[in-house]
Amino acid sequence: MSSLKLFLQAAQARTYPRVAWLFRNNSWMIQETILPVLAVSAFAYAYRAMQAPPEYTGVLVLGAAMTTFWLNVLWGLGAQLYWERDSGNLELYVMSPAPMTAILTGMALGGMITTTIRAVAITIAGVLLFDVPLQPSSWWLLVAGLLITLAALYGLGMMFASLFLLWGREAWHLISLLQEPIYLMSGTNFPVNVLPRAVALVASLIPLTLGMDAMRQVLFHTPGLFAVWAELSVLAVLACVFISVARIGLRYIERKAREGGKLTVRWQ
């Protein structure tokens, strides 16, 4: 019980700063909401010019909303320990009696809460501006799909956190690689089933791909790669795998930091 209490306290302590920032920095509304909607507008008007079904505009809006989670996973969680080392906080995390898993869990929860608010704001703005039809086959299935997708995404982010810290400066190149190519492979601006089958199958290893595809099937009844239940099952498995690998990686980091004493040194 004492270990569980320590875990929860550490997670809460790391969640609070990110949630508090949301209410203390009001400029995020312009940067995180208006600008993504402007980016979506170009594709939305292109679809309208081609007289595409209105569901395609919904595909765009959902893609823009889910992209905010992917960026938060990369920059707000994956690269976080690397930044904490540069700011001198990583030593405190390693010496703390709380496990690194709890600290990253708090970061993930805080980022998930703030990013969810951004995603909801983008979705509402897109639906109102472009009159997107929302006819979900099941609200419960939609919520379940979102939660399982977030679990897999942030599990992947926790795994990235340990890898990026070990790779050092090379992490920046990998983060850049995981942006635009992932937008293409995950079908951010179009249904992923239009990709070649082999490419789509490889892209299905990315939680963002299956998560968006499942939610689009529920919301807009568009054709998907697989059945919704199959995609959610794969996402649940991916979430378990990513979180397990993340725990192993974080334990290795803690052991290496204590034994070698170099992991927390800047630029190492």
Side-chain angles (χ1 to χ4, degrees):
M1 291 299 296
S2 60
S3 299
L4 178 60
K5 182 179 179 180
L6 179 62
F7 185 97
L8 294 177
Q9 288 177 336
Q12 182 183 5
R14 289 305 302 156
T15 301
Y16 173 77
R18 299 195 173 196
V19 177
W21 170 87
L22 183 66
F23 298 97
R24 295 177 183 176
N25 185 9
N26 296 326
S27 62
W28 70 268
M29 182 65 72
I30 298 176
Q31 179 180 355
E32 303 294 340
T33 303
I34 296 179
L35 294 181
V37 171
L38 290 177
V40 169
S41 299
F43 291 97
Y45 287 125
Y47 283 153
R48 286 190 175 183
M50 294 183 293
Q51 298 181 349
E55 290 80 9
Y56 276 69
T57 306
V59 166
L60 289 173
V61 173
L62 181 61
M66 294 303 296
T67 297
T68 61
F69 289 106
W70 181 247
L71 290 176
N72 183 254
V73 164
L74 288 179
W75 295 102
L77 188 59
Q80 190 62 41
L81 292 183
Y82 182 82
W83 289 344
E84 296 289 359
R85 179 174 64 181
D86 291 346
S87 61
N89 292 331
L90 186 60
E91 294 92 334
L92 301 177
Y93 296 157
V94 173
M95 292 186 295
S96 169
M100 291 288 291
T101 309
I103 294 172
L104 273 184
T105 300
M107 294 178 181
L109 289 175
M112 194 182 302
I113 292 171
T114 56
T115 309
T116 298
I117 296 176
R118 298 172 189 170
V120 170
I122 292 172
T123 302
I124 293 175
V127 169
L128 295 178
L129 286 174
F130 303 112
D131 193 23
V132 176
L134 296 178
Q135 298 176 343
S137 57
S138 171
W139 284 105
W140 291 108
L141 189 59
L142 180 64
V143 172
L146 176 61
L147 293 178
I148 296 175
T149 302
L150 293 183
L153 276 174
Y154 282 88
L156 180 62
M158 293 175 68
M159 186 180 72
F160 281 160
S162 56
L163 294 178
F164 289 173
L165 181 61
L166 291 174
W167 290 338
R169 296 183 182 182
E170 296 301 323
W172 296 103
H173 303 295
L174 185 58
I175 290 177
S176 300
L177 181 64
L178 291 175
Q179 289 190 57
E180 295 299 334
I182 296 301
Y183 296 161
L184 174 63
M185 294 184 65
S186 63
T188 301
N189 298 316
F190 54 85
V192 70
N193 63 317
V194 303
L195 292 173
R197 192 67 177 178
V199 176
L201 290 176
V202 173
S204 63
L205 297 176
I206 306 168
L208 187 65
T209 304
L210 291 180
M212 285 196 301
D213 191 59
M215 286 186 284
R216 284 167 176 170
Q217 291 186 64
V218 175
L219 270 175
F220 310 115
H221 311 286
T222 55
L225 284 175
F226 310 103
V228 174
W229 66 267
E231 293 181 335
L232 296 185
S233 299
V234 173
L235 282 172
V237 172
L238 289 177
C240 295
V241 170
F242 292 149
I243 292 174
S244 299
V245 174
R247 291 185 61 186
I248 296 173
L250 291 173
R251 288 175 180 173
Y252 173 76
I253 283 178
E254 288 183 284
R255 186 173 67 252
K256 184 177 180 181
R258 292 188 173 105
E259 291 176 354
K262 295 183 178 181
L263 187 65
T264 56
V265 180
R266 294 183 63 183
W267 316 122
Q268 295 298 318

